[in-house]
Amino acid sequence: MTETSGLRVLIVDDERAIRRFLRVSLAAHGYAVDEAETGEAALQAVIAARPNILILDIGLPDIDGVEVTRRLREWSAVPIIILSVRNDEAEKIRALDAGADDY
């Protein structure tokens, strides 16, 4: 097991299977993992859990990941990695322009 010094990851995805896969994989490497299903829940979880990094889906049921990123950047510098099955170049640019660190 890799030592991660208690790093906390917030996974934001409305697909339970994806959250479960990421949670198991990250926990196996020593990360503390929190989860959220919606954009609003993600914003609250960043406040409550204070993650070191956010793995964020674009397609959420309430507000999309780009808007979550935009709102977070108003008050947080937490690194954001966008995880999405979408392959739209314009979508990637929007996410990165909103403040995502990687796509």
Side-chain angles (χ1 to χ4, degrees), residues 27 56 73 76 100:
L56 177 63
R73 286 298 173 247
S76 175

Side-chain angles (χ1 to χ4, degrees), residues 52-63:
N52 299 96
I53 192 164
L54 192 74
I55 299 176
L56 177 63
D57 184 23
I58 290 285
L60 297 172
D62 56 351
I63 54 176

